[in-house]
Amino acid sequence: KNEVEQSPQNLTAQEGEFITINCSYSVGISALHWLQQHPGGGIVSLFMLSSGKKKHGRLIATINIQEKHSSLHITASHPRDSAVYICAVSGTASKLTFGTGTRLQVTL
Amino acid sequence: GAGVSQTPSNKVTEKGKYVELRCDPISGHTALYWYRQSLGQGPEFLIYFQGTGAADDSGLPNDRFFAVRPEGSVSTLKIQRTERGDSAVYLCASSLYRGGTGELFFGEGSRLTVL
């Protein structure tokens, strides 16, 4: 079992839909990162969180430390949100462990 | 530059050759990470530097891989006797804070193809 599991692996949504991507982890962490990777592009950090909830524009990230679970929500989705979304956790050993990503496609 | 810079952006080499990949992090960032990403996969940890020292090199797959950061800034990932399985995008990230507790800034990656 991977230390970081994401679901779904693939997601297709219509423009305007509310989207949720989930991340579960099995190790103790100091922080959890949500990252975005566009096709052929680099990786951009969206959020880093260790508790509670953060919001940036149409993106919201939440984390439940007790349940070892985090969610990334996208409100009013748009085709430009199409990308791979990656959850990564920073454990006590400092290195980051990545999930395999969720490929999101938002259509008109 | 303002961001993390990686060179070369693309490298094609023959099996058995030696390759160096360079990462220039954001100025002042003490934490530097190397990852590699194969097609359709999430990034795989290779090595983490805190300052000049390799704080965690547990992800290096074998002794053909080596990385240095002699002055605590630029880092070079060195791959000896390259194999076809080494083909991947090699990503570098830097952070102001240690231990993955700071925001990460990624370079565009170096795409290595071993023929």
Side-chain angles (χ1 to χ4, degrees):
Chain A
K1 188 181 189 302
N2 293 330
E3 291 182 344
V4 182
E5 298 272 358
Q6 284 187 239
S7 63
Q9 288 187 311
N10 292 282
L11 181 57
T12 300
Q14 284 197 314
E15 183 178 14
E17 285 187 11
F18 180 83
I19 289 163
T20 296
I21 299 170
N22 296 298
C23 175
S24 296
Y25 53 92
S26 58
V27 296
I29 67 168
S30 54
L32 182 143
H33 301 256
W34 280 104
L35 310 166
Q36 180 192 57
Q37 186 172 32
H38 283 281
I43 296 176
V44 174
S45 175
L46 298 175
F47 295 102
M48 186 196 68
L49 62 166
S50 54
S51 65
K53 175 180 173 179
K54 287 190 176 180
K55 184 175 189 293
H56 185 249
R58 295 180 295 105
L59 302 178
I60 303 166
T62 63
I63 187 168
N64 184 317
I65 297 294
Q66 287 73 28
E67 295 185 2
K68 292 187 166 62
H69 181 268
S70 176
S71 293
L72 176 68
H73 305 286
I74 305 175
T75 62
S77 59
H78 190 275
R80 64 174 174 266
D81 297 327
S82 299
V84 175
Y85 291 84
I86 303 171
C87 170
V89 299
S90 172
T92 54
S94 298
K95 71 180 184 184
L96 289 175
T97 303
F98 290 77
T100 53
T102 295
R103 187 174 301 276
L104 171 65
Q105 182 73 36
V106 181
T107 59
L108 293 169
Chain B
V4 178
S5 174
Q6 289 188 248
T7 55
S9 54
N10 275 288
K11 175 71 177 178
V12 180
T13 191
E14 292 181 343
K15 180 175 179 294
K17 298 290 188 184
Y18 170 80
V19 166
E20 287 191 355
L21 306 175
R22 175 188 167 109
C23 172
D24 197 343
I26 292 173
S27 178
H29 280 196
T30 57
L32 186 146
Y33 300 81
W34 281 101
Y35 298 91
R36 71 177 174 181
Q37 187 174 25
S38 300
L39 194 63
Q41 302 294 316
E44 172 194 12
F45 170 77
L46 295 176
I47 188 168
Y48 158 57
F49 285 93
Q50 183 58 41
T52 60
D56 185 346
D57 64 359
S58 62
L60 295 177
N62 52 59
D63 62 5
R64 295 186 299 105
F65 288 75
F66 189 70
V68 296
R69 195 185 185 199
E71 297 178 359
S73 177
V74 171
S75 176
T76 304
L77 178 66
K78 309 180 181 193
I79 310 173
Q80 298 177 321
R81 304 183 304 279
T82 51
E83 299 177 357
R84 292 194 180 85
D86 299 335
S87 297
V89 176
Y90 288 80
L91 297 165
C92 175
S94 72
S95 178
L96 186 58
Y97 300 110
R98 63 187 299 145
T101 58
E103 184 179 359
L104 296 166
F105 296 84
F106 285 81
E108 292 293 315
S110 292
R111 181 177 299 278
L112 174 65
T113 303
V114 182
L115 301 176

PDB file of all heavy atoms in Angstrom, chain A residues 68-106:
ATOM      1  N   LYS A  68      -6.201  11.451   8.950  1.00  0.00           N
ATOM      2  CA  LYS A  68      -5.133  11.367   7.940  1.00  0.00           C
ATOM      3  C   LYS A  68      -5.735  11.504   6.531  1.00  0.00           C
ATOM      4  O   LYS A  68      -5.510  10.667   5.642  1.00  0.00           O
ATOM      5  CB  LYS A  68      -4.350  10.058   8.066  1.00  0.00           C
ATOM      6  CG  LYS A  68      -3.501   9.951   9.335  1.00  0.00           C
ATOM      7  CD  LYS A  68      -2.634   8.701   9.308  1.00  0.00           C
ATOM      8  CE  LYS A  68      -1.560   8.724  10.361  1.00  0.00           C
ATOM      9  NZ  LYS A  68      -2.030   8.758  11.734  1.00  0.00           N
ATOM     10  N   HIS A  69      -6.450  12.586   6.349  1.00  0.00           N
ATOM     11  CA  HIS A  69      -7.155  12.785   5.087  1.00  0.00           C
ATOM     12  C   HIS A  69      -7.198  14.267   4.742  1.00  0.00           C
ATOM     13  O   HIS A  69      -7.332  15.129   5.608  1.00  0.00           O
ATOM     14  CB  HIS A  69      -8.594  12.256   5.224  1.00  0.00           C
ATOM     15  CG  HIS A  69      -9.392  12.401   3.984  1.00  0.00           C
ATOM     16  ND1 HIS A  69     -10.178  13.511   3.723  1.00  0.00           N
ATOM     17  CD2 HIS A  69      -9.516  11.595   2.901  1.00  0.00           C
ATOM     18  CE1 HIS A  69     -10.760  13.365   2.553  1.00  0.00           C
ATOM     19  NE2 HIS A  69     -10.371  12.211   2.026  1.00  0.00           N
ATOM     20  N   SER A  70      -7.055  14.543   3.458  1.00  0.00           N
ATOM     21  CA  SER A  70      -7.142  15.918   2.960  1.00  0.00           C
ATOM     22  C   SER A  70      -7.976  15.926   1.692  1.00  0.00           C
ATOM     23  O   SER A  70      -8.016  14.932   0.949  1.00  0.00           O
ATOM     24  CB  SER A  70      -5.751  16.470   2.670  1.00  0.00           C
ATOM     25  OG  SER A  70      -5.824  17.764   2.091  1.00  0.00           O
ATOM     26  N   SER A  71      -8.638  17.031   1.467  1.00  0.00           N
ATOM     27  CA  SER A  71      -9.398  17.207   0.235  1.00  0.00           C
ATOM     28  C   SER A  71      -9.032  18.525  -0.422  1.00  0.00           C
ATOM     29  O   SER A  71      -8.755  19.512   0.268  1.00  0.00           O
ATOM     30  CB  SER A  71     -10.909  17.189   0.515  1.00  0.00           C
ATOM     31  OG  SER A  71     -11.339  15.919   0.941  1.00  0.00           O
ATOM     32  N   LEU A  72      -9.052  18.495  -1.747  1.00  0.00           N
ATOM     33  CA  LEU A  72      -8.898  19.717  -2.544  1.00  0.00           C
ATOM     34  C   LEU A  72     -10.208  19.922  -3.293  1.00  0.00           C
ATOM     35  O   LEU A  72     -10.689  19.021  -3.979  1.00  0.00           O
ATOM     36  CB  LEU A  72      -7.746  19.580  -3.538  1.00  0.00           C
ATOM     37  CG  LEU A  72      -7.540  20.757  -4.493  1.00  0.00           C
ATOM     38  CD1 LEU A  72      -7.070  21.990  -3.731  1.00  0.00           C
ATOM     39  CD2 LEU A  72      -6.539  20.402  -5.587  1.00  0.00           C
ATOM     40  N   HIS A  73     -10.802  21.103  -3.120  1.00  0.00           N
ATOM     41  CA  HIS A  73     -12.055  21.418  -3.790  1.00  0.00           C
ATOM     42  C   HIS A  73     -11.827  22.531  -4.797  1.00  0.00           C
ATOM     43  O   HIS A  73     -11.078  23.472  -4.526  1.00  0.00           O
ATOM     44  CB  HIS A  73     -13.108  21.885  -2.779  1.00  0.00           C
ATOM     45  CG  HIS A  73     -13.349  20.928  -1.657  1.00  0.00           C
ATOM     46  ND1 HIS A  73     -14.054  19.757  -1.815  1.00  0.00           N
ATOM     47  CD2 HIS A  73     -12.966  20.980  -0.357  1.00  0.00           C
ATOM     48  CE1 HIS A  73     -14.113  19.120  -0.655  1.00  0.00           C
ATOM     49  NE2 HIS A  73     -13.452  19.838   0.244  1.00  0.00           N
ATOM     50  N   ILE A  74     -12.495  22.413  -5.931  1.00  0.00           N
ATOM     51  CA  ILE A  74     -12.482  23.475  -6.934  1.00  0.00           C
ATOM     52  C   ILE A  74     -13.927  23.879  -7.183  1.00  0.00           C
ATOM     53  O   ILE A  74     -14.758  23.044  -7.581  1.00  0.00           O
ATOM     54  CB  ILE A  74     -11.845  23.020  -8.261  1.00  0.00           C
ATOM     55  CG1 ILE A  74     -10.436  22.472  -8.019  1.00  0.00           C
ATOM     56  CG2 ILE A  74     -11.788  24.184  -9.250  1.00  0.00           C
ATOM     57  CD1 ILE A  74      -9.774  21.896  -9.260  1.00  0.00           C
ATOM     58  N   THR A  75     -14.238  25.125  -6.915  1.00  0.00           N
ATOM     59  CA  THR A  75     -15.597  25.614  -7.172  1.00  0.00           C
ATOM     60  C   THR A  75     -15.651  26.243  -8.558  1.00  0.00           C
ATOM     61  O   THR A  75     -14.648  26.755  -9.060  1.00  0.00           O
ATOM     62  CB  THR A  75     -16.024  26.637  -6.125  1.00  0.00           C
ATOM     63  OG1 THR A  75     -15.137  27.766  -6.203  1.00  0.00           O
ATOM     64  CG2 THR A  75     -15.943  26.059  -4.722  1.00  0.00           C
ATOM     65  N   ALA A  76     -16.829  26.163  -9.191  1.00  0.00           N
ATOM     66  CA  ALA A  76     -17.056  26.756 -10.513  1.00  0.00           C
ATOM     67  C   ALA A  76     -15.917  26.400 -11.467  1.00  0.00           C
ATOM     68  O   ALA A  76     -15.230  27.283 -11.996  1.00  0.00           O
ATOM     69  CB  ALA A  76     -17.215  28.270 -10.392  1.00  0.00           C
ATOM     70  N   SER A  77     -15.713  25.110 -11.675  1.00  0.00           N
ATOM     71  CA  SER A  77     -14.562  24.648 -12.453  1.00  0.00           C
ATOM     72  C   SER A  77     -14.578  25.213 -13.871  1.00  0.00           C
ATOM     73  O   SER A  77     -15.628  25.522 -14.443  1.00  0.00           O
ATOM     74  CB  SER A  77     -14.543  23.123 -12.497  1.00  0.00           C
ATOM     75  OG  SER A  77     -15.742  22.630 -13.069  1.00  0.00           O
ATOM     76  N   HIS A  78     -13.374  25.319 -14.425  1.00  0.00           N
ATOM     77  CA  HIS A  78     -13.165  25.927 -15.743  1.00  0.00           C
ATOM     78  C   HIS A  78     -12.186  25.053 -16.514  1.00  0.00           C
ATOM     79  O   HIS A  78     -11.324  24.419 -15.903  1.00  0.00           O
ATOM     80  CB  HIS A  78     -12.597  27.342 -15.546  1.00  0.00           C
ATOM     81  CG  HIS A  78     -12.553  28.141 -16.790  1.00  0.00           C
ATOM     82  ND1 HIS A  78     -11.499  28.073 -17.685  1.00  0.00           N
ATOM     83  CD2 HIS A  78     -13.431  29.044 -17.297  1.00  0.00           C
ATOM     84  CE1 HIS A  78     -11.731  28.876 -18.691  1.00  0.00           C
ATOM     85  NE2 HIS A  78     -12.886  29.485 -18.480  1.00  0.00           N
ATOM     86  N   PRO A  79     -12.280  25.038 -17.853  1.00  0.00           N
ATOM     87  CA  PRO A  79     -11.335  24.229 -18.623  1.00  0.00           C
ATOM     88  C   PRO A  79      -9.865  24.490 -18.292  1.00  0.00           C
ATOM     89  O   PRO A  79      -9.035  23.586 -18.359  1.00  0.00           O
ATOM     90  CB  PRO A  79     -11.660  24.586 -20.077  1.00  0.00           C
ATOM     91  CG  PRO A  79     -13.123  24.875 -20.046  1.00  0.00           C
ATOM     92  CD  PRO A  79     -13.359  25.553 -18.720  1.00  0.00           C
ATOM     93  N   ARG A  80      -9.528  25.699 -17.890  1.00  0.00           N
ATOM     94  CA  ARG A  80      -8.120  25.976 -17.569  1.00  0.00           C
ATOM     95  C   ARG A  80      -7.680  25.291 -16.272  1.00  0.00           C
ATOM     96  O   ARG A  80      -6.486  25.263 -15.957  1.00  0.00           O
ATOM     97  CB  ARG A  80      -7.869  27.482 -17.459  1.00  0.00           C
ATOM     98  CG  ARG A  80      -8.594  28.171 -16.340  1.00  0.00           C
ATOM     99  CD  ARG A  80      -8.177  29.640 -16.223  1.00  0.00           C
ATOM    100  NE  ARG A  80      -8.983  30.344 -15.222  1.00  0.00           N
ATOM    101  CZ  ARG A  80     -10.074  31.023 -15.516  1.00  0.00           C
ATOM    102  NH1 ARG A  80     -10.488  31.113 -16.768  1.00  0.00           N
ATOM    103  NH2 ARG A  80     -10.754  31.630 -14.549  1.00  0.00           N
ATOM    104  N   ASP A  81      -8.652  24.731 -15.524  1.00  0.00           N
ATOM    105  CA  ASP A  81      -8.289  23.955 -14.332  1.00  0.00           C
ATOM    106  C   ASP A  81      -7.799  22.559 -14.699  1.00  0.00           C
ATOM    107  O   ASP A  81      -7.319  21.820 -13.835  1.00  0.00           O
ATOM    108  CB  ASP A  81      -9.495  23.815 -13.394  1.00  0.00           C
ATOM    109  CG  ASP A  81      -9.979  25.142 -12.849  1.00  0.00           C
ATOM    110  OD1 ASP A  81      -9.139  26.045 -12.631  1.00  0.00           O
ATOM    111  OD2 ASP A  81     -11.203  25.293 -12.646  1.00  0.00           O
ATOM    112  N   SER A  82      -7.936  22.175 -15.963  1.00  0.00           N
ATOM    113  CA  SER A  82      -7.505  20.846 -16.403  1.00  0.00           C
ATOM    114  C   SER A  82      -6.006  20.686 -16.173  1.00  0.00           C
ATOM    115  O   SER A  82      -5.197  21.472 -16.670  1.00  0.00           O
ATOM    116  CB  SER A  82      -7.830  20.636 -17.888  1.00  0.00           C
ATOM    117  OG  SER A  82      -9.232  20.727 -18.104  1.00  0.00           O
ATOM    118  N   ALA A  83      -5.659  19.678 -15.392  1.00  0.00           N
ATOM    119  CA  ALA A  83      -4.268  19.461 -14.999  1.00  0.00           C
ATOM    120  C   ALA A  83      -4.219  18.193 -14.156  1.00  0.00           C
ATOM    121  O   ALA A  83      -5.241  17.570 -13.895  1.00  0.00           O
ATOM    122  CB  ALA A  83      -3.748  20.647 -14.180  1.00  0.00           C
ATOM    123  N   VAL A  84      -3.015  17.843 -13.745  1.00  0.00           N
ATOM    124  CA  VAL A  84      -2.853  16.768 -12.761  1.00  0.00           C
ATOM    125  C   VAL A  84      -2.653  17.421 -11.401  1.00  0.00           C
ATOM    126  O   VAL A  84      -1.815  18.325 -11.248  1.00  0.00           O
ATOM    127  CB  VAL A  84      -1.650  15.867 -13.103  1.00  0.00           C
ATOM    128  CG1 VAL A  84      -1.433  14.835 -12.000  1.00  0.00           C
ATOM    129  CG2 VAL A  84      -1.871  15.177 -14.443  1.00  0.00           C
ATOM    130  N   TYR A  85      -3.408  16.976 -10.429  1.00  0.00           N
ATOM    131  CA  TYR A  85      -3.311  17.505  -9.070  1.00  0.00           C
ATOM    132  C   TYR A  85      -2.655  16.449  -8.188  1.00  0.00           C
ATOM    133  O   TYR A  85      -3.088  15.297  -8.150  1.00  0.00           O
ATOM    134  CB  TYR A  85      -4.699  17.894  -8.552  1.00  0.00           C
ATOM    135  CG  TYR A  85      -5.240  19.088  -9.297  1.00  0.00           C
ATOM    136  CD1 TYR A  85      -5.897  18.928 -10.523  1.00  0.00           C
ATOM    137  CD2 TYR A  85      -5.057  20.377  -8.818  1.00  0.00           C
ATOM    138  CE1 TYR A  85      -6.352  20.020 -11.242  1.00  0.00           C
ATOM    139  CE2 TYR A  85      -5.515  21.478  -9.524  1.00  0.00           C
ATOM    140  CZ  TYR A  85      -6.156  21.288 -10.739  1.00  0.00           C
ATOM    141  OH  TYR A  85      -6.597  22.375 -11.443  1.00  0.00           O
ATOM    142  N   ILE A  86      -1.612  16.858  -7.522  1.00  0.00           N
ATOM    143  CA  ILE A  86      -0.787  15.922  -6.759  1.00  0.00           C
ATOM    144  C   ILE A  86      -0.788  16.307  -5.291  1.00  0.00           C
ATOM    145  O   ILE A  86      -0.601  17.481  -4.940  1.00  0.00           O
ATOM    146  CB  ILE A  86       0.668  15.916  -7.281  1.00  0.00           C
ATOM    147  CG1 ILE A  86       0.698  15.566  -8.780  1.00  0.00           C
ATOM    148  CG2 ILE A  86       1.518  14.937  -6.493  1.00  0.00           C
ATOM    149  CD1 ILE A  86       2.066  15.753  -9.411  1.00  0.00           C
ATOM    150  N   CYS A  87      -0.992  15.305  -4.454  1.00  0.00           N
ATOM    151  CA  CYS A  87      -0.894  15.463  -3.009  1.00  0.00           C
ATOM    152  C   CYS A  87       0.476  14.942  -2.575  1.00  0.00           C
ATOM    153  O   CYS A  87       0.926  13.897  -3.047  1.00  0.00           O
ATOM    154  CB  CYS A  87      -2.017  14.648  -2.363  1.00  0.00           C
ATOM    155  SG  CYS A  87      -1.937  14.475  -0.589  1.00  0.00           S
ATOM    156  N   ALA A  88       1.148  15.672  -1.726  1.00  0.00           N
ATOM    157  CA  ALA A  88       2.454  15.239  -1.223  1.00  0.00           C
ATOM    158  C   ALA A  88       2.509  15.515   0.270  1.00  0.00           C
ATOM    159  O   ALA A  88       2.033  16.557   0.735  1.00  0.00           O
ATOM    160  CB  ALA A  88       3.587  15.969  -1.941  1.00  0.00           C
ATOM    161  N   VAL A  89       3.112  14.588   1.016  1.00  0.00           N
ATOM    162  CA  VAL A  89       3.194  14.781   2.461  1.00  0.00           C
ATOM    163  C   VAL A  89       4.648  14.839   2.888  1.00  0.00           C
ATOM    164  O   VAL A  89       5.513  14.169   2.319  1.00  0.00           O
ATOM    165  CB  VAL A  89       2.448  13.672   3.233  1.00  0.00           C
ATOM    166  CG1 VAL A  89       0.981  13.676   2.866  1.00  0.00           C
ATOM    167  CG2 VAL A  89       3.071  12.315   3.015  1.00  0.00           C
ATOM    168  N   SER A  90       4.887  15.642   3.887  1.00  0.00           N
ATOM    169  CA  SER A  90       6.209  15.767   4.469  1.00  0.00           C
ATOM    170  C   SER A  90       6.173  15.087   5.827  1.00  0.00           C
ATOM    171  O   SER A  90       5.458  15.525   6.730  1.00  0.00           O
ATOM    172  CB  SER A  90       6.572  17.243   4.625  1.00  0.00           C
ATOM    173  OG  SER A  90       7.768  17.384   5.341  1.00  0.00           O
ATOM    174  N   GLY A  91       6.931  13.991   5.929  1.00  0.00           N
ATOM    175  CA  GLY A  91       6.937  13.236   7.170  1.00  0.00           C
ATOM    176  C   GLY A  91       8.068  13.671   8.081  1.00  0.00           C
ATOM    177  O   GLY A  91       8.753  14.663   7.835  1.00  0.00           O
ATOM    178  N   THR A  92       8.300  12.908   9.112  1.00  0.00           N
ATOM    179  CA  THR A  92       9.337  13.251  10.070  1.00  0.00           C
ATOM    180  C   THR A  92      10.733  13.150   9.472  1.00  0.00           C
ATOM    181  O   THR A  92      11.671  13.733   9.982  1.00  0.00           O
ATOM    182  CB  THR A  92       9.247  12.343  11.297  1.00  0.00           C
ATOM    183  OG1 THR A  92       9.284  10.983  10.855  1.00  0.00           O
ATOM    184  CG2 THR A  92       7.953  12.582  12.051  1.00  0.00           C
ATOM    185  N   ALA A  93      10.864  12.420   8.390  1.00  0.00           N
ATOM    186  CA  ALA A  93      12.178  12.277   7.764  1.00  0.00           C
ATOM    187  C   ALA A  93      12.470  13.389   6.782  1.00  0.00           C
ATOM    188  O   ALA A  93      13.462  13.325   6.074  1.00  0.00           O
ATOM    189  CB  ALA A  93      12.268  10.925   7.062  1.00  0.00           C
ATOM    190  N   SER A  94      11.621  14.366   6.700  1.00  0.00           N
ATOM    191  CA  SER A  94      11.812  15.571   5.892  1.00  0.00           C
ATOM    192  C   SER A  94      11.537  15.397   4.412  1.00  0.00           C
ATOM    193  O   SER A  94      11.132  16.341   3.753  1.00  0.00           O
ATOM    194  CB  SER A  94      13.225  16.153   6.052  1.00  0.00           C
ATOM    195  OG  SER A  94      13.437  16.521   7.371  1.00  0.00           O
ATOM    196  N   LYS A  95      11.766  14.219   3.858  1.00  0.00           N
ATOM    197  CA  LYS A  95      11.509  14.079   2.429  1.00  0.00           C
ATOM    198  C   LYS A  95      10.014  14.140   2.179  1.00  0.00           C
ATOM    199  O   LYS A  95       9.201  13.903   3.066  1.00  0.00           O
ATOM    200  CB  LYS A  95      12.060  12.758   1.916  1.00  0.00           C
ATOM    201  CG  LYS A  95      11.278  11.527   2.377  1.00  0.00           C
ATOM    202  CD  LYS A  95      11.884  10.271   1.838  1.00  0.00           C
ATOM    203  CE  LYS A  95      11.057   9.054   2.219  1.00  0.00           C
ATOM    204  NZ  LYS A  95      11.697   7.800   1.779  1.00  0.00           N
ATOM    205  N   LEU A  96       9.663  14.483   0.956  1.00  0.00           N
ATOM    206  CA  LEU A  96       8.267  14.495   0.553  1.00  0.00           C
ATOM    207  C   LEU A  96       7.922  13.178  -0.112  1.00  0.00           C
ATOM    208  O   LEU A  96       8.692  12.655  -0.909  1.00  0.00           O
ATOM    209  CB  LEU A  96       8.000  15.623  -0.436  1.00  0.00           C
ATOM    210  CG  LEU A  96       8.023  17.036   0.131  1.00  0.00           C
ATOM    211  CD1 LEU A  96       7.876  18.027  -0.999  1.00  0.00           C
ATOM    212  CD2 LEU A  96       6.910  17.232   1.132  1.00  0.00           C
ATOM    213  N   THR A  97       6.746  12.678   0.196  1.00  0.00           N
ATOM    214  CA  THR A  97       6.214  11.498  -0.483  1.00  0.00           C
ATOM    215  C   THR A  97       4.997  11.929  -1.272  1.00  0.00           C
ATOM    216  O   THR A  97       4.086  12.539  -0.721  1.00  0.00           O
ATOM    217  CB  THR A  97       5.840  10.400   0.522  1.00  0.00           C
ATOM    218  OG1 THR A  97       6.976  10.071   1.315  1.00  0.00           O
ATOM    219  CG2 THR A  97       5.365   9.158  -0.206  1.00  0.00           C
ATOM    220  N   PHE A  98       4.994  11.583  -2.559  1.00  0.00           N
ATOM    221  CA  PHE A  98       3.955  12.041  -3.459  1.00  0.00           C
ATOM    222  C   PHE A  98       2.924  10.962  -3.728  1.00  0.00           C
ATOM    223  O   PHE A  98       3.248   9.771  -3.808  1.00  0.00           O
ATOM    224  CB  PHE A  98       4.559  12.434  -4.808  1.00  0.00           C
ATOM    225  CG  PHE A  98       5.394  13.673  -4.767  1.00  0.00           C
ATOM    226  CD1 PHE A  98       6.677  13.652  -4.255  1.00  0.00           C
ATOM    227  CD2 PHE A  98       4.897  14.876  -5.255  1.00  0.00           C
ATOM    228  CE1 PHE A  98       7.455  14.802  -4.228  1.00  0.00           C
ATOM    229  CE2 PHE A  98       5.657  16.024  -5.232  1.00  0.00           C
ATOM    230  CZ  PHE A  98       6.940  15.985  -4.717  1.00  0.00           C
ATOM    231  N   GLY A  99       1.687  11.390  -3.912  1.00  0.00           N
ATOM    232  CA  GLY A  99       0.683  10.522  -4.494  1.00  0.00           C
ATOM    233  C   GLY A  99       0.904  10.443  -5.995  1.00  0.00           C
ATOM    234  O   GLY A  99       1.727  11.171  -6.555  1.00  0.00           O
ATOM    235  N   THR A 100       0.164   9.575  -6.655  1.00  0.00           N
ATOM    236  CA  THR A 100       0.342   9.395  -8.099  1.00  0.00           C
ATOM    237  C   THR A 100      -0.439  10.427  -8.900  1.00  0.00           C
ATOM    238  O   THR A 100      -0.299  10.497 -10.111  1.00  0.00           O
ATOM    239  CB  THR A 100      -0.093   8.001  -8.539  1.00  0.00           C
ATOM    240  OG1 THR A 100      -1.423   7.760  -8.079  1.00  0.00           O
ATOM    241  CG2 THR A 100       0.844   6.940  -7.973  1.00  0.00           C
ATOM    242  N   GLY A 101      -1.224  11.239  -8.237  1.00  0.00           N
ATOM    243  CA  GLY A 101      -1.895  12.332  -8.935  1.00  0.00           C
ATOM    244  C   GLY A 101      -3.305  12.000  -9.374  1.00  0.00           C
ATOM    245  O   GLY A 101      -3.665  10.837  -9.553  1.00  0.00           O
ATOM    246  N   THR A 102      -4.089  13.038  -9.549  1.00  0.00           N
ATOM    247  CA  THR A 102      -5.446  12.943 -10.098  1.00  0.00           C
ATOM    248  C   THR A 102      -5.482  13.776 -11.365  1.00  0.00           C
ATOM    249  O   THR A 102      -5.203  14.979 -11.323  1.00  0.00           O
ATOM    250  CB  THR A 102      -6.489  13.467  -9.106  1.00  0.00           C
ATOM    251  OG1 THR A 102      -6.514  12.628  -7.957  1.00  0.00           O
ATOM    252  CG2 THR A 102      -7.864  13.524  -9.751  1.00  0.00           C
ATOM    253  N   ARG A 103      -5.804  13.113 -12.463  1.00  0.00           N
ATOM    254  CA  ARG A 103      -5.865  13.825 -13.755  1.00  0.00           C
ATOM    255  C   ARG A 103      -7.267  14.380 -13.941  1.00  0.00           C
ATOM    256  O   ARG A 103      -8.239  13.636 -14.044  1.00  0.00           O
ATOM    257  CB  ARG A 103      -5.515  12.865 -14.894  1.00  0.00           C
ATOM    258  CG  ARG A 103      -5.387  13.530 -16.249  1.00  0.00           C
ATOM    259  CD  ARG A 103      -4.885  12.535 -17.294  1.00  0.00           C
ATOM    260  NE  ARG A 103      -3.584  11.988 -16.910  1.00  0.00           N
ATOM    261  CZ  ARG A 103      -2.414  12.580 -17.155  1.00  0.00           C
ATOM    262  NH1 ARG A 103      -2.381  13.725 -17.803  1.00  0.00           N
ATOM    263  NH2 ARG A 103      -1.286  12.014 -16.779  1.00  0.00           N
ATOM    264  N   LEU A 104      -7.372  15.704 -13.963  1.00  0.00           N
ATOM    265  CA  LEU A 104      -8.666  16.378 -14.097  1.00  0.00           C
ATOM    266  C   LEU A 104      -8.809  16.960 -15.493  1.00  0.00           C
ATOM    267  O   LEU A 104      -7.933  17.655 -15.981  1.00  0.00           O
ATOM    268  CB  LEU A 104      -8.789  17.506 -13.069  1.00  0.00           C
ATOM    269  CG  LEU A 104      -9.993  18.438 -13.221  1.00  0.00           C
ATOM    270  CD1 LEU A 104     -11.291  17.683 -12.987  1.00  0.00           C
ATOM    271  CD2 LEU A 104      -9.880  19.616 -12.260  1.00  0.00           C
ATOM    272  N   GLN A 105      -9.943  16.680 -16.107  1.00  0.00           N
ATOM    273  CA  GLN A 105     -10.287  17.264 -17.397  1.00  0.00           C
ATOM    274  C   GLN A 105     -11.622  17.971 -17.243  1.00  0.00           C
ATOM    275  O   GLN A 105     -12.621  17.348 -16.890  1.00  0.00           O
ATOM    276  CB  GLN A 105     -10.394  16.170 -18.470  1.00  0.00           C
ATOM    277  CG  GLN A 105     -10.712  16.695 -19.863  1.00  0.00           C
ATOM    278  CD  GLN A 105      -9.537  17.398 -20.498  1.00  0.00           C
ATOM    279  OE1 GLN A 105      -8.383  17.006 -20.318  1.00  0.00           O
ATOM    280  NE2 GLN A 105      -9.802  18.459 -21.225  1.00  0.00           N
ATOM    281  N   VAL A 106     -11.622  19.275 -17.474  1.00  0.00           N
ATOM    282  CA  VAL A 106     -12.863  20.051 -17.405  1.00  0.00           C
ATOM    283  C   VAL A 106     -13.261  20.436 -18.819  1.00  0.00           C
ATOM    284  O   VAL A 106     -12.487  21.076 -19.533  1.00  0.00           O
ATOM    285  CB  VAL A 106     -12.704  21.310 -16.530  1.00  0.00           C
ATOM    286  CG1 VAL A 106     -14.031  22.072 -16.468  1.00  0.00           C
ATOM    287  CG2 VAL A 106     -12.224  20.939 -15.143  1.00  0.00           C
TER     288      VAL A 106
END
